């Protein structure tokens, strides 16, 4: 069963439709890509899915359960975690404490400290574990957000441009991390501008443009899709 | 009907003044992004200055008006813009707000200094000698007509300024985006300056017009602003027409309450508190957003070690014992509140420092604690202290529930309104019954407060109470340190740093905010009970809004993220009381000091406590200087107890020795005893050390 189903979600800012009847699905054990030009509505969709913004129409289902009217905290308890395009770290806490706050709120709270150390090892944050989050360079800060999201042991993980600011080597390691997360049975939804990363790790890709899904399917098919090429390169 | 019309006229006349003051507030807020808490105080100062010139020195009214409105008010506006705000422009919203609270507190203290509050200063209304205008059954005095005419003129003038002049266009552009407005050739600094000058002039006009209707009292006039705030909140701090509408609602409501509120013991206070109640409701009902983007600069919240916290707590107790043994006579009484108010100030650390909730009602919570203790702890039962803390905590939780919708300056306003409701109405109520339980407050006068009985001891003397307060402050400091190190403290900081992230991780905003309000109110309640014990008698006035502002200011200056702030704030706020008896002017100096200190915030925005720690760290680490200092302090204490030296010599001697030792320790740190050995001689001219390998490896890697 799909971990996440978004059906006909519409969000209006004033008279403009940021999302117009968007439907996507994400399944456990798979990495689902969500791409599109700037302003396509990707982050707005994440806000709707995570409960920070209520849609004017449409439904959000997690594991078949309608959570459209539930707040962000309830969705988190259903297993959702996310990162933010504009960083939302707890800047005055150390990296370790950032993860600890999350772990203590999640299902692993009984062994929070151990869980945090495992995550620090897994994504390579040992060197910065005691650094204040505000002092981190952007690339590392994004990784800490991923780590913090993992600390609530999510079954559905929304990542908003997690690899921005990483060099080639770091991106390579990050791709491996994403694959291993999916291998653990997590449904990963990835918003990313790095097409190389998207095409190499995603099992399925949805393309958003001007608030609508204009294509969906395996990466290879999407890459050749006429509508996608037009959206990215402009009408010829 | 005639009576109704008469009250309407009075209401509209008052509304006209609120509209003038409120529009000045909106003008400065939309242009500069600073909410002027001192707006009413500016009007108050103008009214006093006008009285001084016209009545005091006998200048002709037009000259006095011209000097106040065209010289003094603009000068104050420029002072605010240039001296107070520009140094904190790059800091956060909270710092700018602190500046304005400091100005409010400072102007009230300055006015009381210049104009003795015990002298009555009647100010005549304008055109008092002319016969009122009769219009059917309605009578309008010339003063009332003048206020309404001024309001109409202000409305027309502001409309023309904003819509028909280049300056107005610049001001409106600065609202939307300061940097962008600058790029298009507009001058944001000039726009700010114009806004401050105009805003202060409007406050001055309002102050002069309203002063004849109320007593010329610094505090009362400054707080009349609450009504104008309400009007401005009706306009969501943006819209001038809605501000005028809000002013009409507030002005008429006050007038009708005066006319129609039934006369009994419980309701007179309600009329006084009505504008504040309306402000609270307006804040909750009208949706608002912040003018500027999110504040990214937050107070640092260092992690105290448990050992450090224990040492600090021990120091607090020793400090209390030393104070209790060296102070004599009136000093024991004037310095009595030092540690209790330190506890109240410490309540700001979890609430504002960690959780970022700006509250101006902590002293009211202290008042609740003091009242509960006074009634229940009359025989010193320790459980009554627990009840006092719990009742204050419940009151804190009750404020938190409506305040959940508010943040930043709106929360500060909401809590200030709550404080005004408490001290003008609730605290003035005679005793009443709720569900068969008799609730007694200040019994419309003063309350006697006694010390607790513990371990077979009745602590009723100043010295015993001082030590008891020190123990309480030490325990609360330890508790706050443990909080910072624990799960709840982390959550509070997380909640402040990113509400969105905290919520999407499954955190419950409501529970955390209510809990921290309750916790902080409980701490303040304990401080209030201790304060009451030291003061022996308490009145509602000791816990009002204006009394609480300096404590807030000192706590901010100390640094809201530091556990040591309780001791610092208590000492910095109450310590200067030793100067009270020195000369006739020293009490005024002591009263104005916190405001002046608050205005100096830009000098160390992260707090004095961190600076203090940095400067004294060499002493704490030095194995020679620290024991020497402790020995000197112990000797000084002994000499004082044996009455070999007096208090002033003791204070001066301790300060000289401490500073000299600090300099010595710093000098020792700067020049290590052993001369620097060049790296190629390591292991030759001096023994090879374990860490040398790593130092070399790092140097090579860097090269």
């Amino acid at each position: 069963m799909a971990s996440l189903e978004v059906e006909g979600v519409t969000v209006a800012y004033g008279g403009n439709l940021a999302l117009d009847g968007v439907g996507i699905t994400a399944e456990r054990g798979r990495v689902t890509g969500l791409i599109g030009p700037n302003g396509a509505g990707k982050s707005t969709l994440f806000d709707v899915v995570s409960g920070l913004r209520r849609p004017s129409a449409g439904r959000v289902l997690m594991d078949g359960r309608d959570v459209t009217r539930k707040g962000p905290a309830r969705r988190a308890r259903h297993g959702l975690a996310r990162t933010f395009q504009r960083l939302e770290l707890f800047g005055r806490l150390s990296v370790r404490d950032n993860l600890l706050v999350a772990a203590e709120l999640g299902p692993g709270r009984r062994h929070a400290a151990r869980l945090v150390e495992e995550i620090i090892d897994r994504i390579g944050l040992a060197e910065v574990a005691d650094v204040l989050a505000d002092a981190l360079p952007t690339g590392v800060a994004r990784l800490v957000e991923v780590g913090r999201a993992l600390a609530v042991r999510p079954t559905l993980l929304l990542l908003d441009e997690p690899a921005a600011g990483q060099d080639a080597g770091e991106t390579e390691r990050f791709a491996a991390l994403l694959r291993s997360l999916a291998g653990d049975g997590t449904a990963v939804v990835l918003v990313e501008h790095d097409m190389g990363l998207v095409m190499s790790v995603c099992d399925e890709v949805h393309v958003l443009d001007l608030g609508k899904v204009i294509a969906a399917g395996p990466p290879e098919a999407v890459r050749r899709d006429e509508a996608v090429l037009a959206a990215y390169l402009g009408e010829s | 009907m005639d009576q109704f019309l008469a009250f309407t006229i009075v209401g509209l006349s008052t509304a006209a003044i609120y509209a003038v003051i409120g529009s000045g507030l909106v003008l400065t807020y939309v242009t500069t992004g600073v909410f002027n808490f001192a707006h009413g105080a500016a009007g108050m100062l103008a009214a006093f200055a006008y009285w001084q010139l016209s009545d005091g020195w006998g200048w002709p009214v037009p000259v006095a008006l011209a000097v106040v409105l065209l010289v003094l008010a603009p000068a104050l506006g420029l002072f605010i813009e240039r001296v107070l705000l520009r140094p904190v422009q790059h800091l956060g919203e909270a710092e700018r707000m602190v500046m304005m609270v400091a100005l409010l507190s400072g102007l009230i203290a300055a006015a009381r200094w210049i104009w003795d509050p015990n002298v009555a200063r009647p100010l005549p209304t304008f055109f008092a000698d002319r016969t009122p205008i009769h219009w059917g059954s309605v009578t309008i005095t010339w003063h009332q007509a003048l206020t309404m005419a001024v309001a109409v003129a202000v409305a027309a003038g502001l409309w023309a300024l904003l819509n028909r002049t280049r300056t107005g266009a610049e001001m409106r552009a600065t609202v939307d985006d300061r940097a962008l407005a600058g790029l298009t050739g507009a001058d944001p600094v000039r726009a700010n300056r114009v806004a401050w000058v105009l805003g202060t002039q409007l406050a001055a006009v309002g102050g002069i017009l309203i002063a004849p209707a109320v007593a010329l009292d610094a505090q009362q006039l400054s707080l009349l602003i609450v009504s104008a705030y309400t009007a401005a909140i009706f306009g969501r701090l943006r819209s001038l027409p809605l501000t005028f509408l809000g002013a009409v609602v507030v002005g008429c409501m006050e007038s009708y309450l005066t006319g129609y509120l039934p006369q009994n013991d419980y309701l007179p206070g309600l009329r006084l508190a009505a504008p504040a109640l309306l402000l609270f409701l307006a804040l909750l009902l009208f949706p608002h957003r912040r003018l500027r983007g999110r504040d990214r600069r937050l107070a640092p919240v260092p992690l105290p070690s448990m050992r450090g916290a224990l040492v600090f707590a021990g120091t607090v107790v020793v400090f209390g014992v030393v104070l209790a043994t060296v102070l004599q006579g009136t000093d024991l009484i004037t310095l009595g509140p030092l540690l209790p108010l330190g506890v109240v100030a410490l309540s700001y650390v979890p609430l504002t420092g960690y959780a970022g909730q700006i509250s101006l009602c902590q002293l009211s919570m202290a008042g609740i604690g003091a009242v509960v203790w006074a009634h229940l702890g009359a025989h010193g039962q320790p459980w009554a202290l627990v009840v006092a803390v719990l009742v204050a905590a419940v009151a804190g939780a009750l404020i938190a529930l409506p305040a959940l919708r508010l943040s930043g300056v709106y929360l500060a306003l909401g809590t200030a309104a709550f404080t005004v409701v408490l001290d003008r109405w609730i605290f003035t109520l005679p005793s009443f019954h709720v569900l068969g339980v008799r609730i007694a407050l200040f019994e419309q006068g003063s309350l006697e407060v006694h010390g607790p009985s513990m371990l077979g001891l009745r602590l009723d003397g100043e010295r015993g109470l001082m030590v008891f307060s020190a123990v309480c402050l030490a325990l609360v400091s330890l508790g706050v340190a443990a909080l910072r190190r624990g799960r709840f403290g982390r959550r509070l900081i997380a909640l402040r740093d990113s509400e969105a992230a905290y919520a999407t991780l499954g955190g419950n905003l409501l529970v955390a905010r209510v809990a921290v309000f309750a916790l902080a109110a409980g701490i303040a309640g304990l401080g209030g009970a201790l304060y009451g014990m030291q003061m022996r008698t308490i009145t509602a006035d000791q816990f009002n809004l204006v009394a609480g502002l300096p404590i807030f200011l000192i706590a901010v200056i100390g640094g809201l993220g530091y556990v040591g702030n309780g001791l610092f704030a208590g000492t910095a706020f109450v310590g200067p009381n030793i100067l009270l008896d020195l000369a006739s002017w020293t009490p005024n100096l002591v009263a104005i000091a916190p405001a002046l200190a608050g205005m100096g915030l830009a000098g160390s925005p992260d707090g004095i406590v961190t600076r203090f720690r940095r400067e004294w760290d060499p002493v704490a680490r030095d194995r020679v200087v620290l024991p020497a200092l402790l020995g000197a302090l112990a000797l000084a204490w002994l000499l004082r107890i044996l009455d070999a030296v007096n208090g002033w010599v003791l204070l001066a001697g301790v300060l000289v020795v401490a500073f000299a030792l600090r300099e010595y320790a710093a000098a020792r740190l700067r020049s290590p005893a052993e001369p620097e050995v060049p790296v190629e001689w390591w292991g030759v001219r001096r023994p090879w050390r374990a860490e040398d390998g790593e130092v070399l490896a790092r140097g090579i890697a860097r090269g």
Side-chain angles (χ1 to χ4, degrees), chain B residues 671-692:
Chain B
S671 59
E674 155 185 341
E676 190 70 26
V677 177
V679 64
E680 58 271 28
W681 293 100
W682 287 4
V684 182
R685 287 196 188 160
R686 69 158 174 76
W688 182 260
R689 294 175 191 154
E691 68 267 22
D692 285 351

Side-chain angles (χ1 to χ4, degrees), chain B residues 212-547:
Chain B
V214 294
L216 205 54
D217 172 86
Q219 183 167 324
Q220 204 188 338
L221 269 176
S222 300
L223 294 187
L224 275 177
I225 188 67
V226 170
S227 309
Y229 284 166
T230 313
I233 293 293
F234 264 78
R236 296 170 195 184
L237 291 177
R238 269 175 202 82
S239 155
L240 288 172
L242 283 175
T243 301
F244 274 67
L245 180 69
V248 171
V249 171
V250 182
C252 288
M253 181 199 67
E254 285 181 21
S255 180
Y256 296 145
L257 282 179
T258 310
Y260 298 112
L261 204 63
Q263 293 297 319
N264 68 26
D265 284 347
Y266 298 94
L267 292 176
L270 173 61
R271 193 180 63 73
L272 294 175
L277 263 180
L278 199 61
L279 172 60
F280 200 66
L281 290 178
L283 279 167
L284 295 182
L285 292 179
F286 296 121
H288 45 254
R289 60 189 168 82
R290 300 242 200 120
L291 198 65
R292 309 260 179 238
R294 231 178 64 189
D295 224 353
R296 292 308 307 181
R297 196 191 162 281
L298 299 168
V301 282
L303 189 69
S305 69
M306 225 39 224
R307 184 170 163 270
L310 281 168
V311 170
F312 176 74
T315 312
V316 172
V317 175
V318 170
F319 181 67
V321 171
V322 169
L323 274 189
T325 45
V326 302
L327 292 177
Q328 302 282 349
T330 52
D331 283 348
L332 260 177
I333 297 164
T334 51
L335 292 187
L338 192 154
L339 296 157
L341 291 183
V343 176
V344 177
L346 189 54
S347 72
Y348 275 111
V349 171
L351 183 63
T352 313
Y354 298 168
Q357 311 292 312
I358 298 176
S359 158
L360 295 179
C361 65
Q362 289 311 95
L363 195 61
S364 298
M365 298 299 109
I368 291 173
V371 166
V372 173
W373 169 255
H375 287 292
L376 299 183
H379 302 291
Q381 308 88 322
W383 57 263
L385 201 55
V386 178
V387 176
V389 170
L390 289 178
V391 172
V394 170
L398 287 178
I399 306 166
L401 284 175
L404 278 178
R405 288 171 56 96
L406 309 174
S407 64
V409 75
Y410 296 99
L411 181 59
L413 262 181
T415 49
F418 187 81
T419 298
V420 174
V421 172
L422 276 183
D423 68 53
R424 286 195 187 164
W425 184 30
I426 307 291
F427 283 171
T428 64
L429 290 175
S431 60
F432 54 93
H433 289 82
V434 176
L435 303 173
V437 180
R438 180 172 169 272
I439 311 271
L441 295 150
F442 283 91
E443 307 278 20
Q444 298 183 296
S446 60
L447 282 183
E448 256 187 57
V449 191
H450 297 280
S453 298
M454 279 188 182
L455 310 169
L457 285 173
R458 178 81 205 223
L459 296 172
D460 232 354
E462 281 89 4
R463 295 180 203 278
L465 284 172
M466 202 168 256
V467 175
F468 180 61
S469 297
V471 171
C472 288
L473 178 59
L475 289 176
V476 177
S477 298
L478 269 182
V480 173
L483 173 86
R484 169 64 188 90
R485 295 181 59 80
R487 180 183 293 191
F488 185 47
R490 278 194 291 276
R491 285 187 183 182
L492 292 179
I493 296 165
L495 164 74
R496 171 65 180 107
D497 288 359
S498 172
E499 275 188 19
Y502 185 71
T504 53
L505 290 170
N508 189 326
L509 301 175
L510 180 95
V511 170
R513 283 183 78 170
V514 169
V516 71
F517 260 95
L519 174 80
I523 295 175
L526 173 66
L530 296 172
Y531 179 59
M533 293 173 200
Q534 288 280 1
M535 302 307 286
R536 293 174 179 266
T537 53
I538 50 170
T539 62
D541 272 352
Q542 286 167 309
F543 302 98
N544 71 20
L545 177 65
V546 175

Side-chain angles (χ1 to χ4, degrees), chain B residues 25-35 237 290-291 409-410:
Chain B
L25 197 61
V26 171
L27 192 71
T28 44
Y29 186 70
V30 293
T31 311
T32 67
V34 178
F35 185 84
L237 291 177
R290 300 242 200 120
L291 198 65
V409 75
Y410 296 99

Side-chain angles (χ1 to χ4, degrees), chain B residues 594-632:
Chain B
L596 292 178
M599 291 175 197
L601 178 71
S604 33
D606 286 342
I608 303 271
V609 173
T610 176
R611 200 163 131 184
F612 185 84
R613 280 189 58 164
R614 200 172 52 236
E615 287 173 359
W616 289 86
D617 193 54
V619 176
R621 290 179 183 284
D622 197 307
R623 292 190 176 179
V624 177
V625 175
L626 185 64
L629 179 63
L630 294 178

Side-chain angles (χ1 to χ4, degrees), chain A residues 50-52 72-74 76-77 80-82 84 86-93 97-98 100-102 104-106 109-110 112 134 145 148-149 152, chain B residues 294 296 298-301 303 352-356 484 486-508:
Chain A
S50 58
L52 292 176
R74 294 286 291 278
R77 268 167 247 150
L80 186 149
R82 69 168 288 185
F84 295 82
R86 283 183 60 184
L87 288 168
E88 292 280 354
L89 281 175
F90 306 135
R92 297 178 297 165
L93 293 176
D97 279 356
N98 263 271
L100 202 51
V101 168
E104 286 165 350
L105 286 166
R109 64 181 68 100
R110 280 165 188 269
D134 261 350
E145 277 214 352
R148 188 179 64 183
V152 293
Chain B
R294 231 178 64 189
R296 292 308 307 181
L298 299 168
V301 282
L303 189 69
T352 313
Y354 298 168
R484 169 64 188 90
R487 180 183 293 191
F488 185 47
R490 278 194 291 276
R491 285 187 183 182
L492 292 179
I493 296 165
L495 164 74
R496 171 65 180 107
D497 288 359
S498 172
E499 275 188 19
Y502 185 71
T504 53
L505 290 170
N508 189 326

